[in-house]
Amino acid sequence: DTEVTQTPKHLVMGMTNKKSLKCEQHMGHRAMYWYKQKAKKPPELMFVYSYEKLSINESVPSRFSPECPNSSLLNLHLHALQPEDSALYLCASSQDLRGGTDTQYFGPGTRLTVL
Amino acid sequence: DAKTTQPPSMDCAEGRAANLPCNHSTISGNEYVYWYRQIHSQGPQYIIHGLKNNETNEMASLIITEDRKSSTLILPHATLRDTAVYYCIVCPGGTSYGKLTFGQGTILTVHP
């Protein structure tokens, strides 16, 4: 089973709202990722968690706040977003970052629209 | 920046083999070649990866040249459902953490 689930599938929010995206995997993976994908562009890495600790932040604005409450769950808290933050937000997970190769498996994404 | 070069688009007839090329002339010794695809509005799907040797799985075959500067993804019998953007990604192994850098990819269109 290589399933990563994401909720909600679609989200519309105003610029003053606070919302959260959720990602879950039950593959025993210890690394989890957030990517952002604008229309007709490739995915871009935002954050990496390794063993529930933030290991990479790709200079993402503070209005995006990731959280990894346990090894199976990854959240992305959103606050005071701008219309240009509208995008497909993808979650991925992988087994282990430490040595060898590490295949990432992606969820279906959350389509976010900021009004 | 992406370390790979792919043609922006390709066409393939249904039932024929689709051969998608990728150039990665600056690849270093511990870097793997990964292939993902993304069907419209879905998450990227892992296809296959390799280091030096050719690889085959139930989805595709990966042919890596001896100098490792290029590779070809082969879908042996393309179907309409294989229409997608195909990404070739060079990814470090070892302790260089999980940074998949997607390029622009190749839009493969399979037609009847």
Side-chain angles (χ1 to χ4, degrees), chain A residues 22-26 32 49 52 67-75:
Chain A
K22 180 180 173 181
C23 173
E24 196 165 3
Q25 57 87 15
H26 296 287
M32 297 186 78
Y49 272 83
E52 295 139 60
E67 178 197 21
C68 189
N70 61 58
S71 60
S72 300
L73 277 176
L74 184 66
N75 298 320

Side-chain angles (χ1 to χ4, degrees), chain A residues 21-79:
Chain A
L21 309 184
K22 180 180 173 181
C23 173
E24 196 165 3
Q25 57 87 15
H26 296 287
M27 296 178 278
H29 288 176
R30 300 312 299 268
M32 297 186 78
Y33 310 77
W34 281 115
Y35 288 80
K36 174 180 178 178
Q37 185 174 26
K38 300 280 283 182
K40 298 189 187 303
K41 297 290 186 183
E44 294 180 339
L45 183 66
M46 300 174 72
F47 301 105
V48 180
Y49 272 83
S50 173
Y51 288 76
E52 295 139 60
K53 288 188 171 25
L54 183 65
S55 63
I56 295 177
N57 177 341
E58 291 285 274
S59 303
V60 179
S62 60
R63 58 185 183 270
F64 295 92
S65 175
E67 178 197 21
C68 189
N70 61 58
S71 60
S72 300
L73 277 176
L74 184 66
N75 298 320
L76 186 63
H77 302 297
L78 314 172
H79 173 55

Side-chain angles (χ1 to χ4, degrees), chain A residues 37 42 58 97 100-101 103-104 106-107, chain B residues 34 36 38 43-44 93-94 98-99 103:
Chain A
Q37 185 174 26
E58 291 285 274
L97 290 177
T101 184
T103 299
Q104 294 182 29
F106 286 79
Chain B
Y34 272 80
Y36 283 80
Q38 188 171 24
K99 295 188 73 167

